[in-house]
Amino acid sequence: MTQTDVNSQEEKGRSASQPTVFGSHTGLFTAADDDAPKSDLAVLFLSPWGLEEMCTRRFYRILAERFAEIGVASLRFDYPGTVNSLDDTSAERGLSGWSEVIGKAAEELKMLSGTHKLVFIGQGIGASLALKQARSASSLAAIALLAPVLKGRAYLRELSLFSRLIDDGLGIKPELRDSAPGSIAGLRMPRAVADDIKAVDLNSIEITALPHVFLAERPGFEADTTFRDRLTSAGCQLRAIPFSGYDTLVSNPLDQELPEALVDELIDWLKSLPQYQDHRPLPAKKPSPVASVRSESIRETSVRFGQDERLYGVLCEPAEGSIGVTAVILTTAYDHAAGWARSSVALARELAKVGVSSLRFDSAGVGDSPPVAARRKQVLYDEAQIADVGMARDYVHSLGLGDRTLLIGRCSGAYVAFRSVLADRRWNSCMIVNPVAFRWRFKGLPKTLKAYVRNALDLETVRRLWSGDVDLGAVTKNISMRLVDRMANRLSFVFAPAKPITQLTKQVHRDFQALASRGTPLSIIYTEGDEGQEMFRINFGDAGEKLSAYPNVQLHLFPDADHNLTPLPAREKMIALAKQQALSLGNRSERHIASAVA
């Protein structure tokens, strides 16, 4: 299957998967398609950890949809203390707590699907857990191990190295980096989990009477080849393939490609299993109509909404004492609803503690929300997302939560938030973090001129250009716009008339004036040195002095942080500002009501 074929599969149009609850945990159940064969197999997905989980979120969703087409249901869920899970206490028990939840998820999947036999598919540490769980899962028919963690200590060392490389690339100061074992990209691995991972050694596990095994080996990893030989000598019914595209899948969530060959191999392998042809009985349970879990202070509900229920999100509400304000938290195109370093999760739960409800959700084609036909594959800075934001606004209104609303976004989500507030007067307030621009004139996400020059000398770029993987038209347009900007700045006496055309300054000021006329509070946060400040300075002056014309706007500069707010102090500062703005919105509305009554 080619990349185009994968994209066409994505554009079929689907509802988001059905949220479900088992114990104190939520999951996403994807039922087999009604017109598909009736199979007695169902797939339980076991996630990797950290940045790898973020990179594989969309991949897992696509696999679930493809499996549904061949009659195989599936369930996805988050381990305790990770992603959207509200259960942090189980994480204190380490991998045993994760394994316990895997067992509960397996039972839930059997009841929802009606199947008798399960297939575990795991990547990274999820693959290791699948193999360890195989010894006690009597209903297990097969396991698929995608780049499994073979030795825990080596894995933690690799994570530490990769974490340093990421921090270097983000420009994070050494004293602000998280060096705890297993931590990466602002995500801290639960300490008990990290301690248990040190003891993981798949080569020491006794392999007897294993079911069918699928192994995707990382290219160039001799240890994977050795492990494959061990599985073969143990008599496993093994299908092993190279994990082509592994590096591009897990190394950069911003510009990743799906491993389409692996998708095809997994589907062919599932269809070859003996239980695939067996008849599936009726399910013993239907997904709960309300998939809610709660702690002492907050309640979270996994929801589907929008046209054909195609959008997935998490509604976070205070258990009691709401102040009547609701925040909607947007994703970028590369981090799902939990946010970079779980920042959206932390923001939502801190807002709930002061009485503010929130909805964090995936736009179409991001994370757990299926794409929309005819939209671009890369949804960065795509105004088509404004329609998704409108559906989110309609949804919170339908719940009776839409009287006072705050829209929050970072990076490309900041751009979509700003354009959405302009397009829809129902939004009462807005906070944007590191917007690259306020009106978009590039194609896709542009690089700096230095980056374009550096990439032009890179052999991998030449290879991708030759194979057609690079949009040459977009690159040409973006470089041209960057060059005109630079000339317009340096030779202002010649190019000054071109500035309003190339840099859209007049249009931006009209937009800001529109919000000022409505009295819509707008907070703008920039981390010092962020590339988005280049366009901001063009529009509003080097010190933002032209913002003085808009009393509704507040500018905040964060030192010692990157574009994603990876360091914890920067995230905490952003959360404090969001709480302040939400509480101010509540007080502002109360004062308005009191004035009207008087």
Side-chain angles (χ1 to χ4, degrees), residues 65-141:
E65 293 168 354
R66 294 292 306 280
F67 294 163
E69 293 172 1
I70 63 168
V72 177
S74 62
L75 181 68
R76 316 190 297 278
F77 69 99
D78 300 321
Y79 305 125
T82 70
V83 199
N84 290 304
S85 173
L86 192 57
D87 178 16
D88 291 333
T89 58
S90 295
E92 297 172 0
R93 295 192 286 113
L95 289 182
S96 64
W98 286 15
S99 295
E100 181 180 312
V101 177
I102 292 173
K104 293 178 179 178
E107 293 303 313
E108 177 75 2
L109 175 57
K110 285 193 292 184
M111 289 190 291
L112 291 174
S113 63
T115 58
H116 295 99
K117 293 296 182 179
L118 299 182
V119 177
F120 288 172
I121 296 182
Q123 179 158 326
I125 193 62
S128 309
L129 291 171
L131 186 60
K132 290 170 68 71
Q133 202 86 1
R135 293 176 296 173
S136 58
S138 59
S139 59
L140 193 62

Side-chain angles (χ1 to χ4, degrees), residues 391-539:
M391 290 179 186
R393 183 61 180 80
D394 293 339
Y395 180 69
V396 297
H397 178 77
S398 71
L399 299 175
L401 300 174
D403 289 341
R404 288 166 280 176
T405 51
L406 166 63
L407 190 57
I408 302 173
R410 175 185 55 80
C411 186
S412 63
Y415 176 78
V416 174
F418 180 74
R419 304 309 306 176
S420 296
V421 170
L422 280 167
D424 190 341
R425 289 175 172 267
R426 295 178 298 171
W427 296 106
N428 304 110
S429 189
C430 184
M431 171 179 280
I432 52 179
V433 181
N434 286 328
V436 175
F438 300 97
R439 279 184 176 248
W440 201 246
R441 60 207 173 92
F442 297 102
K443 187 173 182 180
L445 184 64
K447 296 180 173 66
T448 62
L449 284 175
K450 287 184 179 179
Y452 280 122
V453 172
R454 184 170 60 249
N455 289 348
L457 303 175
D458 182 37
L459 291 178
E460 176 63 17
T461 301
V462 175
R463 183 199 65 77
R464 294 181 63 218
L465 183 64
W466 182 258
S467 63
D469 292 336
V470 175
D471 188 339
L472 186 58
V475 171
T476 302
K477 177 179 179 180
N478 294 342
I479 290 176
S480 300
M481 297 300 291
R482 291 295 199 198
L483 288 172
V484 170
D485 281 352
R486 179 161 294 189
M487 288 187 292
N489 284 334
R490 292 184 177 180
L491 303 174
S492 57
F493 63 94
V494 176
F495 286 95
K499 279 189 175 183
I501 299 173
T502 63
Q503 297 161 352
L504 306 176
T505 299
K506 287 186 178 180
Q507 293 94 323
V508 169
H509 278 271
R510 282 200 294 267
D511 294 338
F512 271 69
Q513 185 57 56
L515 294 183
S517 299
R518 300 181 203 168
T520 303
L522 172 64
S523 292
I524 305 173
I525 297 173
Y526 277 112
T527 52
E528 292 183 355
D530 186 79
E531 66 176 0
Q533 287 182 287
E534 178 181 351
M535 190 55 59
F536 174 82
R537 293 189 181 108
I538 289 172
N539 294 147

Side-chain angles (χ1 to χ4, degrees), residues 30-47:
T30 306
D33 288 355
D34 291 337
D35 57 352
K38 307 303 181 185
S39 172
D40 196 27
L41 286 177
V43 167
L44 182 66
F45 287 97
L46 305 184
S47 297

Side-chain angles (χ1 to χ4, degrees), residues 97 124 218 220 233 236 271 273 295 304 324 356 374 399 423 449 464 476 484 510 535 582 591:
R218 290 163 291 185
S233 62
C236 295
K271 293 169 73 173
L273 297 176
S295 65
R304 302 188 298 175
V356 177
L399 299 175
L449 284 175
R464 294 181 63 218
T476 302
V484 170
R510 282 200 294 267
M535 190 55 59
R591 289 195 301 269

Side-chain angles (χ1 to χ4, degrees), residues 339-356:
W340 182 269
R342 292 186 87 195
S343 56
S344 296
V345 171
L347 171 59
R349 293 173 183 176
E350 288 299 314
L351 287 173
K353 291 177 182 178
V354 296
V356 177

